[in-house]
Amino acid sequence: AQKITQTQPGMFVQEKEAVTLDCTYDTSDQSYGLFWYKQPSSGEMIFLIYQGSYDEQNATEGRYSLNFQKARKSANLVISASQLGDSAMYFCAMREEGAQKLVFGQGTRLTINP
Amino acid sequence: EAQVTQNPRYLITVTGKKLTVTCSQNMNHEYMSWYRQDPGLGLRQIYYSMNVEVTDKGDVPEGYKVSRKEKRNFPLILESPSPNQTSLYFCASSHLTGVFREKLFFGSGTQLSVL
């Protein structure tokens, strides 16, 4: 069964520093996708970045990159040069081929300090 | 603008009073789903639909109903709400092509309080 684990309930980082949010996953499928979503205090779910299980290069989207280590089953989100607006809850999620759902981790609340 | 529209944004009700949360998408997505978000538990799937008239249970379906009479709409029905259904609810949709690659588009959420 697919499972996502985010072990950091909360993180505090100084503005302009880089931050890594941890995510490990468990699946027996060869085909799957990994996603990161951001949830600001307003509540909406904002898609950040995607990594496919067959993608050989780590995904990048602006200041976001995904450190994908397939053998270790980890998909950590890296935010470079953090900004105050990055303060939010971050969710890691996985979708297996043929599975009819996105499975989410518990989330990490990131706070950026000025 | 491509979007998933959910209403209402906030809802306070009393135990046992039937309610419906509406969800509509304008992206011609085949797949639609409902999630609930609770602190420390992340988001958990309630029900999903692969297409019109095709629905199935997710991980936490008890106390909920859904219908998919039209491709764009996927309402969530609570026939007799109870306090343990107090939660933040999200509707989401996606295409089915290359399923594991498809990201979900989320509505803005409905904060439900059952007194």
Side-chain angles (χ1 to χ4, degrees):
Chain A
Q2 47 185 345
K3 184 180 179 182
I4 294 283
T5 303
Q6 294 179 254
T7 57
Q8 306 153 311
M11 286 193 69
F12 296 84
V13 172
Q14 285 300 119
E15 190 180 8
K16 298 181 184 175
E17 288 183 354
V19 56
T20 297
L21 305 182
D22 294 340
C23 173
T24 58
Y25 60 92
D26 188 20
T27 180
S28 55
D29 271 26
Q30 297 302 309
S31 303
Y32 53 89
L34 296 154
F35 304 79
W36 277 91
Y37 283 84
K38 172 184 179 181
Q39 186 181 44
S41 57
S42 51
E44 72 266 32
M45 296 289 285
I46 302 168
F47 167 74
L48 294 178
I49 196 166
Y50 162 81
Q51 179 86 40
S53 58
Y54 298 112
D55 296 341
E56 294 185 352
Q57 290 195 327
N58 287 342
T60 61
E61 291 284 351
R63 293 186 300 112
Y64 304 107
S65 61
L66 203 152
N67 184 2
F68 181 46
Q69 298 187 42
K70 194 170 181 177
R72 297 181 61 186
K73 293 189 175 178
S74 74
N76 298 340
L77 177 69
V78 180
I79 306 174
S80 63
S82 57
Q83 302 170 356
L84 295 179
D86 293 332
S87 293
M89 181 74 85
Y90 288 80
F91 289 99
C92 180
M94 176 174 65
R95 193 171 192 176
E96 292 174 336
E97 188 168 37
Q100 299 312 326
K101 63 183 175 183
L102 204 58
V103 174
F104 287 82
Q106 307 93 314
T108 296
R109 184 169 296 283
L110 175 64
T111 302
I112 307 298
N113 295 314
Chain B
E1 181 190 353
Q3 60 184 2
V4 179
T5 303
Q6 225 182 295
N7 282 298
R9 184 73 177 88
Y10 300 95
L11 181 58
I12 300 174
T13 189
V14 295
T15 300
K17 186 174 181 182
K18 181 180 178 179
L19 66 91
T20 299
V21 184
T22 62
C23 174
S24 180
Q25 50 91 7
N26 63 1
M27 295 168 279
N28 201 34
H29 285 163
E30 301 85 8
Y31 177 89
M32 297 186 75
S33 183
W34 278 100
Y35 285 82
R36 61 177 289 174
Q37 181 183 354
D38 301 290
L41 297 177
L43 281 78
R44 294 175 293 166
Q45 189 185 53
I46 302 170
Y47 267 95
Y48 67 92
S49 170
M50 304 279 282
N51 217 321
V52 175
E53 302 293 358
V54 181
T55 63
D56 209 345
K57 297 176 181 179
D59 296 320
V60 288
E62 294 78 21
Y64 304 95
K65 284 177 57 176
V66 294
S67 68
R68 188 95 181 270
K69 294 185 173 63
E70 304 165 287
K71 195 172 185 178
R72 63 183 294 126
N73 296 325
F74 191 46
L76 179 70
I77 303 156
L78 285 72
E79 295 265 359
S80 182
S82 62
N84 64 12
Q85 292 178 298
T86 292
S87 187
L88 177 60
Y89 291 86
F90 286 100
C91 179
S93 71
S94 75
H95 284 303
L96 278 179
T97 305
V99 168
F100 75 89
R101 298 181 181 85
E102 297 293 339
K103 70 181 183 186
L104 284 182
F105 291 79
F106 283 86
S108 52
T110 296
Q111 181 64 58
L112 172 65
S113 296
V114 183
L115 305 177

